[in-house]
Amino acid sequence: MKSKYISLLISLVLISACSHNRHALDSENNVPKSQLELSEKKNIPVTFFPDPVEIVSVGDSLTAGVGDSKDAGGYLPYLKESLESEPTITSVKMDNFGVKGNRSDQLLKRLDSTAIKGSIEKADAVVITIGGNDIMKVVRNHFSELKMDQFNDARKGYELRLKQIIEKVRLYNQDTHIYLVGVYNPFSQWFTGFGEFDTIMEEWNKSSERIVSEYDEAYYVNIGDIFTGTTAEVLYTEDYFHPNDLGYQLIADRIYNHLDIMSLGDALAASTKGDENVDN
């Protein structure tokens, strides 16, 4: 009789244990889906951690920022602020390689430097200011007797070097967008006896625009009208040659209006060179 009670007690214990295990399994199966997913490995889109847009500026005193009262880089900080206001752009990295007095032949040589080449290789856009000092060289060399033929001859050499500059940038980076900023006329008030400077600037800008149009993803930015026919003070009062703060802000606005903003935003997602996701 006692053995029957013992057998019955063992059976009850086993049944209870099985019931507990089944309940534990059922409870695991009923865990809310959101909790289970927390333990799963997720794939996060690369755009969740976007890289900054990288802008490289090369050229002369307009890139160096001569006349900028804050010595902050001329048009660059204004352009940076405008770009970072775009919803598709989280931040902007600006590399400034401007050198006061640079001519096209000097810029062409400087493009071989390791620092400039490395920056262009990573750039989403390259902004170039060049040409003004090529014109200034003619003025200095023929100060006492200026003639149109002198400027026309100099322009032919500039056209050749401008092509080489663009092709070198494109060699370093096949995908970057190139923006060439035109020249403006600060000479007329200094050379009242030579009234052809407006024509000279127009011809040089036409050459620049034509050459740029021969290349894909390359754009010409006209700024000549910013400095003519205006009552606003847009020139640096120390030399009445370089832009002042307002002049640089207007140049930045003009460049900004020419930028392909959607393309710069898309560049963020493409920054991993084809990787669609990163594992967390």
Side-chain angles (χ1 to χ4, degrees), residues 72-92:
Y75 70 83
L76 275 75
Y78 299 109
L79 181 59
K80 183 177 190 292
E81 181 180 2
S82 295
L83 286 171
E84 289 183 341
S85 69
E86 291 289 335
T88 58
I89 296 175
T90 56
S91 63
V92 177

Side-chain angles (χ1 to χ4, degrees), residues 108-163:
L108 184 60
K109 292 179 181 178
R110 285 205 302 125
L111 288 177
D112 293 329
S113 75
T114 302
I116 296 179
K117 180 181 178 181
S119 290
I120 291 176
E121 287 174 345
K122 299 180 293 183
D124 298 293
V126 176
V127 182
I128 304 170
T129 63
I130 203 68
N133 291 301
D134 294 65
I135 298 173
M136 177 59 79
K137 183 179 180 181
V138 177
V139 175
R140 288 173 176 165
N141 289 346
H142 305 280
F143 183 81
S144 60
E145 191 177 1
L146 293 174
K147 297 179 181 179
M148 284 293 292
D149 288 345
Q150 299 159 350
F151 294 96
N152 292 335
D153 291 341
R155 192 181 73 247
K156 294 176 183 177
Y158 164 76
E159 291 173 353
L160 175 62
R161 291 186 293 272
L162 178 59
K163 290 181 179 181

Side-chain angles (χ1 to χ4, degrees), residues 15 24 29 34 36 59 64 72 78 80 101 109 113 135 175 181 198 206 220 240:
I15 291 172
N29 291 334
S34 60
L36 289 176
Y78 299 109
K80 183 177 190 292
K109 292 179 181 178
S113 75
I135 298 173
D175 301 318
V181 179
D198 284 338
K206 283 182 179 178
Y220 168 76
Y240 286 98

Side-chain angles (χ1 to χ4, degrees), residues 51-258:
D51 294 331
V53 168
E54 298 196 29
I55 308 291
V56 173
S57 296
V58 296
D60 51 29
S61 55
L62 290 187
T63 296
V66 175
D68 172 11
S69 66
K70 303 180 184 66
D71 195 25
Y75 70 83
L76 275 75
Y78 299 109
L79 181 59
K80 183 177 190 292
E81 181 180 2
S82 295
L83 286 171
E84 289 183 341
S85 69
E86 291 289 335
T88 58
I89 296 175
T90 56
S91 63
V92 177
K93 181 178 182 292
M94 309 287 286
D95 288 339
N96 188 340
F97 294 102
V99 173
K100 179 182 177 180
N102 246 202
R103 302 184 307 269
S104 58
D105 58 314
Q106 295 168 322
L107 175 59
L108 184 60
K109 292 179 181 178
R110 285 205 302 125
L111 288 177
D112 293 329
S113 75
T114 302
I116 296 179
K117 180 181 178 181
S119 290
I120 291 176
E121 287 174 345
K122 299 180 293 183
D124 298 293
V126 176
V127 182
I128 304 170
T129 63
I130 203 68
N133 291 301
D134 294 65
I135 298 173
M136 177 59 79
K137 183 179 180 181
V138 177
V139 175
R140 288 173 176 165
N141 289 346
H142 305 280
F143 183 81
S144 60
E145 191 177 1
L146 293 174
K147 297 179 181 179
M148 284 293 292
D149 288 345
Q150 299 159 350
F151 294 96
N152 292 335
D153 291 341
R155 192 181 73 247
K156 294 176 183 177
Y158 164 76
E159 291 173 353
L160 175 62
R161 291 186 293 272
L162 178 59
K163 290 181 179 181
Q164 293 173 327
I165 288 169
I166 295 175
E167 288 168 3
K168 188 166 290 189
V169 171
R170 183 61 73 223
L171 176 65
Y172 296 160
N173 189 328
Q174 295 182 0
D175 301 318
T176 192
H177 288 195
I178 300 172
Y179 297 88
L180 175 68
V181 179
V183 296
Y184 62 94
N185 179 14
F187 295 102
S188 294
Q189 60 181 319
W190 300 107
F191 299 91
T192 55
F194 186 75
E196 287 85 359
F197 274 111
D198 284 338
T199 301
I200 291 169
M201 299 300 168
E202 183 179 354
E203 292 300 320
W204 280 62
N205 282 330
K206 283 182 179 178
S207 292
S208 296
E209 185 173 14
R210 174 181 53 79
I211 290 169
V212 167
S213 69
E214 298 173 0
Y215 298 88
D216 293 334
E217 309 298 348
Y219 310 89
Y220 168 76
V221 181
N222 177 47
I223 62 169
D225 60 306
I226 293 176
F227 298 90
T228 58
T230 177
T231 57
E233 295 292 335
V234 292
L235 290 177
Y236 181 43
T237 55
E238 294 294 323
D239 61 14
Y240 286 98
F241 189 88
H242 294 95
N244 59 15
D245 292 351
L246 176 59
Y248 278 120
Q249 183 174 0
L250 294 174
I251 291 174
D253 291 344
R254 190 63 61 84
I255 297 172
Y256 171 72
N257 289 332
H258 280 75

